[in-house]
Each structure stands twice: as C-alpha cells, then as structure tokens.
C-alpha cells in the first residue's frame, strides 16, 4: 500500500472518514465504528450501502458492517446468560455498540496494509443498564482482503456472556441469481418458522424472505455472483455460527431506509457468535471474532 488518503466527511448527523488507497476505498462512521461502504478499484462495491440510508445519531445505518454487541438481535431470543447481563427494561435490537460513538485510536500503515483501530470506551462500565467492564476494540485491516477483528477483553472480576455479529451487508448484482456456498449440509435455525431447526440441502439460493442462523459453520463461506463474475469469500475465526438475511419484498417495503427493490442488490452474511455459540468471558479472558473478506473472479 504505497499511498493512502484520509478525508473527514459529514454524512447527515454522522462523522465519517473516507479512506482511499491505490487498491480500495472505505467509508466508515464514528457511530458504531460502522463501515458504510467498501469497494475495490475497478470492481462493483463489495459492501452494500442502501440508496435510502438514514445518517442519524442513535440509528444504525442500513449499510456495510454494523457491529452487534453485547447481544445479537432480540435480546429475548438469546440464551439466559446473555439476557442476564442486561439490567434494563428496553433492550434495543442488536445490542448497544452500533449506535454509540467509538473512538478512533489510529490509522497506520503496516506491512503493505492499512490498519484502522477503534475502541468503545463506554463498554468499560458506562453502557446503559449493562454494568460490566469489557475492553472492546475493532481492528480493520485494508490489505489484499478487508479484515475485521472485534476483540472483547473482560477487565472485571466476574464472567460476562455475550452474543455478537459483524452484520455484513454484501453487494450482489441480483440476489435471485446468487448463491452461498459453504453451508451445504449444515443445521440451521429457521427464524421465520418458529425457530425450528432444519438442515440445509445443497448451496443456499434465494427465492423469498430469508433469516436463518447457521450452526457449526466452517471457516469459509462464499457468495457466488455469476452476473458480476465474482466470488466474495469470508474466512472467519472465533465464530461457529452465521446469520444469513435477505428481507425480500414485503419486509423491504416496511423498512424506511431501504428502497422497495433494494433487497435485490444485497445479502447479509453475518459472522457471529449466537445461539449455542455465545461467548463466556471469564475474568481476564479475551475473545476475538475475525473475518477476512476478499473477492476473486469466477
Ligand atoms: O440479522 C438478521 C436480522 O436480525 C433480521 O431479523 C433483521 O431484522 C435484520 O437483522 C436487521 O435488523 P435491524 O435492527 O438493523 O433492522
């Protein structure tokens, strides 16, 4: 990475940075340390940014990679150990981290890659109704792949149990033509049919609303996009579960920050620690959730 440029930009109410290298361009918001878009030079976007995205404080942007932490989705659907960590009455969907301002620790060049690091200082005892002391950092490395590492270190004296996800929105030419490989034969939770456990037959293709938790996931999942002649690869560590989501027609229409046909151009594969894969952090313990996102021709 010979040269790179960092430009501070305001999008609606959100403070953002646009980081451009000779290979790629990344847009990231201070709120949630949320990547909003990412694109390799000469390729269609890799991460999707909704045409109707709303850039407002306290609201996660429909784009890129929201960080879901210290719980995923509806808290009531999490194991009791995760629920018991929150002492409030109104638990926001997908936790507390995605709507709070993170601190940019630094941007530096190392070994032909760019390292961008954020921290959520509030996780050390100052999150509303979540009185635990965890050092929470997100490291983003822009190199041959886009690497994300979300690290939680329990600084307190008692165990902390979390669920989490890197809720990544991928850009596809048309979700109806795309498929996800790596899930063949896996058990999954079908959240749209009473959270029933089922088994995946073959690769996953899309013909309707999809919202599933895949269990015991392998180290690599990929999205095959024939029209764009592209395979997006996700290589993960520290995760044995993944959520795959597409809202399809009716749900997309109900979302104020997604165009009615926006569902056609996106697909979420969320590298996660959910269901029976939640993380118990003993005092002093560290857990790193990692994904490297790359792309190659078919
Ligand atoms: O990851 C899937 C999911 O939990 C869906 O159920 C859907 O609600 C989606 O995330 C988006 O959630 P959000 O709170 O960002 O609208």
């Amino acid at each position: 990475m010979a040269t790179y440029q960092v430009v501070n930009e305001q999008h609606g109410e959100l403070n953002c940075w646009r980081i451009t290298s000779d290979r790629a361009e990344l847009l990231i918001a201070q709120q949630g340390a949320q990547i909003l878009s990412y694109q390799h030079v000469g390729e269609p976007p890799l991460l999707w940014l909704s045409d109707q995205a709303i850039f407002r404080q306290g609201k996660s942007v429909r784009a890129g990679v929201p960080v879901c932490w210290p719980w995923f989705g509806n808290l009531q659907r999490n194991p009791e150990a995760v629920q018991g960590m929150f002492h409030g009455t109104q638990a926001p969907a997908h936790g507390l981290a995605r709507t709070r301002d993170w601190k940019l620790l630094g941007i530096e060049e190392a070994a032909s890659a760019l390292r961008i690091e954020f921290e959520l200082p509030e996780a050390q005892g100052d999150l509303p109704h979540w009185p635990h002391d965890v050092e929470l950092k997100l490291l983003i490395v822009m190199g041959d792949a886009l690497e994300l590492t979300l690290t939680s270190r329990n600084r307190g004296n008692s165990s902390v149990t979390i669920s989490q996800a890197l809720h990544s929105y991928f850009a596809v030419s048309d979700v109806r033509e795309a498929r996800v490989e790596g899930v063949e034969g896996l058990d999954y939770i079908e959240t749209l049919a009473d959270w029933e456990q089922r088994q995946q037959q073959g690769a996953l293709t899309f013909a309707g609303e999809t919202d599933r938790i895949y269990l015991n996931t392998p180290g690599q999942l990929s999205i095959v996009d024939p029209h764009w002649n592209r395979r997006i690869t996700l290589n993960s560590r520290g995760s044995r579960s993944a959520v795959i989501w597409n809202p399809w027609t009716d749900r997309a229409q109900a979302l104020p920050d997604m165009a009615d046909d926006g569902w056609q151009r996106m697909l979420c594969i969320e590298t996660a620690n959910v269901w029976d894969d939640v993380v118990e952090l003993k005092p002093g313990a560290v857990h790193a959730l990692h994904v490297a996102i790359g792309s190659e021709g078919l």
Side-chain angles (χ1 to χ4, degrees):
M1 185 154 308
T3 52
Y4 69 92
Q5 209 190 12
V6 181
V7 178
N8 197 206
E9 294 179 0
Q10 190 75 17
H11 288 260
E13 295 178 0
L14 304 185
N15 183 38
C16 303
W17 294 273
R18 188 177 296 278
I19 302 170
T20 315
S21 75
D22 48 357
R23 282 185 266 173
E25 184 172 284
L26 176 91
L27 178 66
I28 186 161
Q30 182 169 10
Q31 176 173 277
Q34 183 177 352
I35 294 177
L36 300 178
S37 66
Y38 177 76
Q39 183 161 15
H40 289 157
V41 171
E43 266 188 45
L46 227 127
L47 294 175
W48 179 81
L49 166 61
S50 172
D51 294 342
Q52 295 187 4
I54 297 168
F55 302 95
R56 191 182 298 150
Q57 270 173 22
K59 186 178 177 356
S60 177
V61 183
R62 184 94 35 221
V65 189
V67 172
C68 304
W69 190 98
W71 63 84
F72 176 82
N74 178 348
L75 180 61
Q76 303 309 319
R77 286 287 184 181
N78 279 259
E80 273 179 23
V82 177
Q83 290 187 37
M85 296 283 115
F86 182 69
H87 299 173
T89 48
Q90 305 270 322
H94 291 314
L96 305 167
R98 66 177 183 161
T99 51
R100 313 192 79 83
D101 274 351
W102 290 49
K103 182 178 171 191
L104 176 62
L105 295 180
I107 301 178
E108 64 178 42
E109 219 177 326
S112 77
L114 201 59
R115 293 165 59 90
I116 306 149
E117 193 168 31
F118 283 88
E119 179 175 16
L120 182 63
E122 279 181 299
Q124 297 179 19
D126 292 321
L127 288 174
H129 312 294
W130 199 83
H132 313 286
D133 185 353
V134 175
E135 181 186 78
L136 180 65
K137 288 185 176 172
L138 179 70
L139 174 66
I140 299 163
V141 179
M142 275 173 81
D144 288 333
L146 177 69
E147 298 191 40
L148 307 179
T149 309
L150 182 67
T151 305
S152 304
R153 184 169 71 87
N154 184 0
R155 294 165 24 110
N157 299 321
S158 47
S159 284
V160 176
T161 305
I162 58 171
S163 59
Q164 58 182 350
L166 297 164
H167 194 307
S168 314
Y169 287 83
F170 293 98
V172 290
S173 60
D174 184 338
V175 73
R176 293 164 293 191
E177 306 290 333
R179 65 177 187 273
V180 177
E181 293 185 352
V183 292
E184 298 85 345
L186 295 185
D187 287 335
Y188 66 89
I189 307 299
E190 177 51 272
T191 71
L192 302 175
D194 226 3
W195 296 64
E196 192 180 275
Q197 187 161 328
R198 297 183 179 172
Q199 193 183 31
Q200 176 69 36
Q201 307 299 320
L204 173 63
T205 53
F206 297 85
E209 186 181 353
T210 304
D211 195 346
R212 300 176 175 184
I213 301 171
Y214 281 88
L215 308 175
N216 291 311
T217 44
Q220 186 180 82
L221 299 177
S222 60
I223 299 172
V224 179
D225 187 336
H227 283 314
W228 280 350
N229 186 35
R230 182 166 78 174
R231 177 186 293 273
I232 299 175
T233 53
L234 290 79
N235 285 290
S236 64
R237 289 195 302 269
S239 160
R240 289 186 297 104
S241 50
V243 179
I244 301 187
W245 179 58
N246 181 280
W248 217 252
T249 48
D250 295 358
R251 284 287 310 276
Q253 268 176 27
L255 293 172
D257 51 359
M258 191 185 276
D260 287 355
D261 62 356
W263 59 274
Q264 296 174 11
R265 297 182 292 276
M266 56 71 68
L267 165 57
C268 286
I269 300 186
E270 308 159 33
T271 304
N273 291 118
V274 295
W275 204 249
D276 59 353
D277 180 34
V278 299
V279 175
E280 184 189 351
L281 291 167
K282 298 249 159 51
V286 180
H287 179 81
L289 173 64
H290 172 89
V291 66
I293 298 168
S295 68
E296 57 197 44
L298 292 179

